[in-house]
Amino acid sequence: MSLTRIAPDLWATPHHPVEDYANTRAYLLTRPQGNVLIYGLGFQRDEADEDVLDEIDAQGGVELQILSHGDEASHSLEAVRERFGSRLACSAVEVDQIDNYADGLHIDLAWDPDCADETLDGLEIMATPGHTRGSISIRYQSPHGQTYLFTGDTIVPKDDGSWVVNVAEQQGGTAADLERSLLALREQSFDLLASSAYVGETSTATPSQEEWQAIVDHRLERLRVWAAARA
């Protein structure tokens, strides 16, 4: 199997290396009103993983693919659109970056806080800038009883149980924005967190609310120390 089922309506795609120490993967959320692929598959067009696309097809394909930020752009976006006729969405703030990634690549749905597109029904999208200028996170309350939180690269897990945050200043990220976003995420309740990038093999986490707030508090402390040292 190329897809890994991690919840009754949630599938993870295979690990894809993005750095010597980090991986990325996407998540297929199956819904009666149309499946959503969250994040990018990572591969380039000439490396297309047909087994992954075949298994996504077997689960009903993709109606909408949502990127949490511009780093998830790759030629796999074209392969997904051509295979499933899906739409591509991202934050309105990062449309230009993704549209410019490759000739012929374009965003169909530019999300902003006033967006009311019906394909987003049931998905709570939150602006969480800081890693990049237009990063978003997604919360979904599954009819199967669990709530999923997709944090993109805003906060990501490591195999050793620690967590990482990173300000991509070259992409408009700032420590001040990231601090505000982490404070907002700190108050979110969820059963399963699924990041875009991750260090090692662990891409999901199931902390309790108390554990989650302690995780965020620790990262906030480290972020403030980092920002102060650069001031």
Side-chain angles (χ1 to χ4, degrees):
M1 290 286 289
S2 296
L3 299 183
T4 301
R5 193 171 198 169
I6 57 177
D9 54 356
L10 189 64
W11 301 77
T13 65
H15 304 285
H16 184 87
V18 291
E19 300 285 353
D20 291 341
Y21 58 90
N23 294 302
T24 188
R25 71 193 325 178
Y27 298 87
L28 180 69
L29 181 63
T30 58
R31 309 184 305 164
Q33 66 268 48
N35 294 349
V36 178
L37 185 62
I38 298 174
Y39 311 145
L41 293 175
F43 59 74
Q44 298 304 314
R45 189 176 181 81
D46 57 358
E47 303 170 342
D49 191 331
E50 295 298 334
D51 289 343
V52 173
L53 297 177
D54 287 346
E55 290 189 27
I56 290 175
D57 202 1
Q59 297 303 322
V62 178
E63 179 176 343
L64 180 69
Q65 182 172 13
I66 305 176
L67 306 183
S68 73
H69 66 297
D71 279 351
E72 291 161 8
S74 75
H75 291 287
S76 69
L77 305 179
E78 299 170 274
V80 170
R81 187 201 301 276
E82 289 183 8
R83 180 68 176 267
F84 304 111
S86 53
R87 302 169 72 203
L88 181 61
C90 73
S91 167
V93 177
E94 297 202 353
V95 167
D96 289 347
Q97 178 185 347
I98 296 168
D99 273 350
N100 292 333
Y101 182 85
D103 291 340
L105 184 61
H106 67 275
I107 296 295
D108 304 287
L109 174 58
W111 177 86
D112 64 33
D114 296 322
C115 184
D117 192 282
E118 63 181 11
T119 58
L120 299 176
D121 287 351
L123 298 168
E124 180 186 353
I125 300 183
M126 299 166 280
T128 51
H131 171 62
T132 66
R133 64 192 178 101
S135 291
I136 60 174
S137 298
I138 303 165
R139 187 173 180 271
Y140 178 74
Q141 188 169 343
S142 167
H144 297 277
Q146 289 190 311
T147 298
Y148 313 137
L149 180 64
F150 302 91
T151 58
D153 284 0
T154 298
I155 183 167
V156 305
K158 296 176 65 176
D159 277 350
D160 64 5
S162 62
W163 293 71
V164 176
V165 300
N166 176 49
V167 178
E169 293 177 305
Q170 71 279 13
Q171 297 176 54
T174 70
D177 280 346
L178 184 54
E179 179 173 343
R180 285 189 288 269
S181 294
L182 290 171
L183 286 169
L185 288 173
R186 184 185 188 278
E187 303 309 312
Q188 294 295 317
S189 60
F190 59 89
D191 300 292
L192 174 72
L193 181 148
S195 64
S196 175
Y198 46 97
V199 181
E201 301 294 315
T202 304
S203 62
T204 60
T206 57
S208 68
Q209 186 73 13
E210 183 178 359
E211 290 169 336
W212 172 240
Q213 292 184 344
I215 288 166
V216 175
D217 287 344
H218 180 65
R219 295 320 309 169
L220 282 167
E221 180 182 350
R222 297 292 298 272
L223 176 65
R224 288 163 181 157
V225 169
W226 177 85
R230 293 171 58 83

mmCIF file of all heavy atoms in Angstrom, residues 158-181:
data_model
loop_
_atom_site.group_PDB
_atom_site.id
_atom_site.type_symbol
_atom_site.label_atom_id
_atom_site.label_comp_id
_atom_site.label_asym_id
_atom_site.label_seq_id
_atom_site.Cartn_x
_atom_site.Cartn_y
_atom_site.Cartn_z
ATOM 1 N N LYS A 158 9.274 16.147 15.845
ATOM 2 C CA LYS A 158 10.485 15.377 15.613
ATOM 3 C C LYS A 158 10.314 14.000 16.256
ATOM 4 O O LYS A 158 9.528 13.825 17.193
ATOM 5 C CB LYS A 158 11.703 16.085 16.222
ATOM 6 C CG LYS A 158 12.027 17.425 15.616
ATOM 7 C CD LYS A 158 13.185 18.097 16.334
ATOM 8 C CE LYS A 158 14.492 17.349 16.177
ATOM 9 N NZ LYS A 158 15.626 18.075 16.808
ATOM 10 N N ASP A 159 11.069 13.033 15.765
ATOM 11 C CA ASP A 159 10.971 11.674 16.288
ATOM 12 C C ASP A 159 11.309 11.579 17.768
ATOM 13 O O ASP A 159 10.835 10.673 18.459
ATOM 14 C CB ASP A 159 11.900 10.738 15.508
ATOM 15 C CG ASP A 159 11.279 10.247 14.205
ATOM 16 O OD1 ASP A 159 10.073 10.472 13.999
ATOM 17 O OD2 ASP A 159 12.003 9.631 13.406
ATOM 18 N N ASP A 160 12.133 12.498 18.278
ATOM 19 C CA ASP A 160 12.550 12.408 19.679
ATOM 20 C C ASP A 160 11.529 13.010 20.640
ATOM 21 O O ASP A 160 11.771 13.105 21.847
ATOM 22 C CB ASP A 160 13.921 13.062 19.878
ATOM 23 C CG ASP A 160 13.909 14.568 19.591
ATOM 24 O OD1 ASP A 160 12.837 15.138 19.331
ATOM 25 O OD2 ASP A 160 15.011 15.177 19.611
ATOM 26 N N GLY A 161 10.369 13.425 20.091
ATOM 27 C CA GLY A 161 9.316 13.980 20.935
ATOM 28 C C GLY A 161 9.343 15.488 21.065
ATOM 29 O O GLY A 161 8.423 16.080 21.634
ATOM 30 N N SER A 162 10.384 16.134 20.545
ATOM 31 C CA SER A 162 10.443 17.594 20.569
ATOM 32 C C SER A 162 9.743 18.162 19.334
ATOM 33 O O SER A 162 9.290 17.413 18.463
ATOM 34 C CB SER A 162 11.895 18.074 20.647
ATOM 35 O OG SER A 162 12.618 17.662 19.503
ATOM 36 N N TRP A 163 9.671 19.483 19.272
ATOM 37 C CA TRP A 163 8.963 20.154 18.187
ATOM 38 C C TRP A 163 9.822 21.281 17.638
ATOM 39 O O TRP A 163 10.713 21.787 18.331
ATOM 40 C CB TRP A 163 7.628 20.703 18.684
ATOM 41 C CG TRP A 163 6.661 19.619 19.055
ATOM 42 C CD1 TRP A 163 6.742 18.779 20.140
ATOM 43 C CD2 TRP A 163 5.492 19.223 18.333
ATOM 44 N NE1 TRP A 163 5.689 17.902 20.136
ATOM 45 C CE2 TRP A 163 4.905 18.149 19.044
ATOM 46 C CE3 TRP A 163 4.887 19.681 17.174
ATOM 47 C CZ2 TRP A 163 3.742 17.529 18.617
ATOM 48 C CZ3 TRP A 163 3.722 19.068 16.742
ATOM 49 C CH2 TRP A 163 3.154 18.004 17.455
ATOM 50 N N VAL A 164 9.529 21.677 16.397
ATOM 51 C CA VAL A 164 10.332 22.686 15.708
ATOM 52 C C VAL A 164 9.427 23.778 15.166
ATOM 53 O O VAL A 164 8.342 23.498 14.640
ATOM 54 C CB VAL A 164 11.125 22.059 14.538
ATOM 55 C CG1 VAL A 164 11.891 23.124 13.767
ATOM 56 C CG2 VAL A 164 12.063 20.978 15.039
ATOM 57 N N VAL A 165 9.871 25.030 15.294
ATOM 58 C CA VAL A 165 9.269 26.138 14.557
ATOM 59 C C VAL A 165 10.409 26.843 13.817
ATOM 60 O O VAL A 165 11.557 26.819 14.258
ATOM 61 C CB VAL A 165 8.513 27.127 15.467
ATOM 62 C CG1 VAL A 165 7.384 26.431 16.201
ATOM 63 C CG2 VAL A 165 9.451 27.800 16.461
ATOM 64 N N ASN A 166 10.075 27.454 12.704
ATOM 65 C CA ASN A 166 11.108 28.076 11.877
ATOM 66 C C ASN A 166 10.533 29.293 11.170
ATOM 67 O O ASN A 166 9.436 29.227 10.595
ATOM 68 C CB ASN A 166 11.614 27.066 10.841
ATOM 69 C CG ASN A 166 12.613 27.680 9.889
ATOM 70 O OD1 ASN A 166 13.564 28.333 10.304
ATOM 71 N ND2 ASN A 166 12.385 27.498 8.602
ATOM 72 N N VAL A 167 11.264 30.389 11.219
ATOM 73 C CA VAL A 167 10.874 31.614 10.522
ATOM 74 C C VAL A 167 11.602 31.652 9.184
ATOM 75 O O VAL A 167 12.828 31.790 9.141
ATOM 76 C CB VAL A 167 11.216 32.861 11.354
ATOM 77 C CG1 VAL A 167 10.851 34.128 10.587
ATOM 78 C CG2 VAL A 167 10.501 32.822 12.702
ATOM 79 N N ALA A 168 10.862 31.513 8.086
ATOM 80 C CA ALA A 168 11.451 31.593 6.747
ATOM 81 C C ALA A 168 11.407 33.053 6.304
ATOM 82 O O ALA A 168 10.489 33.488 5.595
ATOM 83 C CB ALA A 168 10.689 30.700 5.776
ATOM 84 N N GLU A 169 12.399 33.818 6.724
ATOM 85 C CA GLU A 169 12.382 35.260 6.471
ATOM 86 C C GLU A 169 12.401 35.572 4.979
ATOM 87 O O GLU A 169 11.804 36.566 4.548
ATOM 88 C CB GLU A 169 13.564 35.913 7.170
ATOM 89 C CG GLU A 169 13.474 35.851 8.688
ATOM 90 C CD GLU A 169 14.686 36.438 9.386
ATOM 91 O OE1 GLU A 169 15.814 35.992 9.080
ATOM 92 O OE2 GLU A 169 14.503 37.347 10.226
ATOM 93 N N GLN A 170 13.054 34.741 4.175
ATOM 94 C CA GLN A 170 13.108 34.987 2.741
ATOM 95 C C GLN A 170 11.740 34.831 2.085
ATOM 96 O O GLN A 170 11.529 35.260 0.949
ATOM 97 C CB GLN A 170 14.128 34.052 2.070
ATOM 98 C CG GLN A 170 13.712 32.596 1.990
ATOM 99 C CD GLN A 170 13.957 31.818 3.279
ATOM 100 O OE1 GLN A 170 14.226 32.402 4.323
ATOM 101 N NE2 GLN A 170 13.862 30.504 3.198
ATOM 102 N N GLN A 171 10.802 34.227 2.800
ATOM 103 C CA GLN A 171 9.431 34.074 2.298
ATOM 104 C C GLN A 171 8.436 34.900 3.106
ATOM 105 O O GLN A 171 7.242 34.614 3.108
ATOM 106 C CB GLN A 171 9.031 32.592 2.306
ATOM 107 C CG GLN A 171 9.891 31.744 1.382
ATOM 108 C CD GLN A 171 9.544 30.282 1.489
ATOM 109 O OE1 GLN A 171 8.388 29.898 1.342
ATOM 110 N NE2 GLN A 171 10.532 29.455 1.756
ATOM 111 N N GLY A 172 8.955 35.929 3.755
ATOM 112 C CA GLY A 172 8.087 36.863 4.447
ATOM 113 C C GLY A 172 7.695 36.470 5.852
ATOM 114 O O GLY A 172 6.858 37.141 6.474
ATOM 115 N N GLY A 173 8.278 35.407 6.379
ATOM 116 C CA GLY A 173 7.967 35.030 7.744
ATOM 117 C C GLY A 173 8.603 35.971 8.745
ATOM 118 O O GLY A 173 9.688 36.518 8.507
ATOM 119 N N THR A 174 7.935 36.174 9.868
ATOM 120 C CA THR A 174 8.486 37.007 10.941
ATOM 121 C C THR A 174 8.225 36.331 12.279
ATOM 122 O O THR A 174 7.237 35.613 12.454
ATOM 123 C CB THR A 174 7.866 38.411 10.970
ATOM 124 O OG1 THR A 174 6.493 38.319 11.406
ATOM 125 C CG2 THR A 174 7.931 39.084 9.598
ATOM 126 N N ALA A 175 9.105 36.596 13.237
ATOM 127 C CA ALA A 175 8.936 36.035 14.575
ATOM 128 C C ALA A 175 7.668 36.563 15.240
ATOM 129 O O ALA A 175 6.975 35.833 15.951
ATOM 130 C CB ALA A 175 10.161 36.344 15.424
ATOM 131 N N ALA A 176 7.369 37.841 15.011
ATOM 132 C CA ALA A 176 6.174 38.425 15.629
ATOM 133 C C ALA A 176 4.910 37.748 15.124
ATOM 134 O O ALA A 176 3.999 37.421 15.901
ATOM 135 C CB ALA A 176 6.126 39.927 15.347
ATOM 136 N N ASP A 177 4.825 37.525 13.800
ATOM 137 C CA ASP A 177 3.657 36.828 13.249
ATOM 138 C C ASP A 177 3.580 35.399 13.760
ATOM 139 O O ASP A 177 2.491 34.892 14.089
ATOM 140 C CB ASP A 177 3.721 36.818 11.719
ATOM 141 C CG ASP A 177 3.261 38.120 11.099
ATOM 142 O OD1 ASP A 177 2.638 38.939 11.813
ATOM 143 O OD2 ASP A 177 3.524 38.315 9.895
ATOM 144 N N LEU A 178 4.730 34.735 13.806
ATOM 145 C CA LEU A 178 4.730 33.351 14.254
ATOM 146 C C LEU A 178 4.293 33.239 15.709
ATOM 147 O O LEU A 178 3.551 32.326 16.082
ATOM 148 C CB LEU A 178 6.111 32.734 14.052
ATOM 149 C CG LEU A 178 6.245 31.245 14.380
ATOM 150 C CD1 LEU A 178 5.210 30.412 13.632
ATOM 151 C CD2 LEU A 178 7.653 30.749 14.060
ATOM 152 N N GLU A 179 4.721 34.179 16.535
ATOM 153 C CA GLU A 179 4.288 34.162 17.936
ATOM 154 C C GLU A 179 2.770 34.282 18.032
ATOM 155 O O GLU A 179 2.119 33.535 18.780
ATOM 156 C CB GLU A 179 4.960 35.292 18.709
ATOM 157 C CG GLU A 179 4.531 35.333 20.168
ATOM 158 C CD GLU A 179 5.312 36.332 21.007
ATOM 159 O OE1 GLU A 179 6.396 36.775 20.569
ATOM 160 O OE2 GLU A 179 4.838 36.657 22.119
ATOM 161 N N ARG A 180 2.187 35.193 17.294
ATOM 162 C CA ARG A 180 0.727 35.349 17.327
ATOM 163 C C ARG A 180 0.029 34.082 16.838
ATOM 164 O O ARG A 180 -1.002 33.668 17.387
ATOM 165 C CB ARG A 180 0.318 36.555 16.485
ATOM 166 C CG ARG A 180 0.610 37.906 17.151
ATOM 167 C CD ARG A 180 0.004 39.058 16.382
ATOM 168 N NE ARG A 180 0.720 39.309 15.143
ATOM 169 C CZ ARG A 180 1.749 40.147 15.028
ATOM 170 N NH1 ARG A 180 2.183 40.802 16.085
ATOM 171 N NH2 ARG A 180 2.335 40.345 13.857
ATOM 172 N N SER A 181 0.574 33.474 15.795
ATOM 173 C CA SER A 181 -0.047 32.266 15.251
ATOM 174 C C SER A 181 0.040 31.105 16.233
ATOM 175 O O SER A 181 -0.919 30.345 16.404
ATOM 176 C CB SER A 181 0.625 31.889 13.927
ATOM 177 O OG SER A 181 0.365 32.870 12.946
#
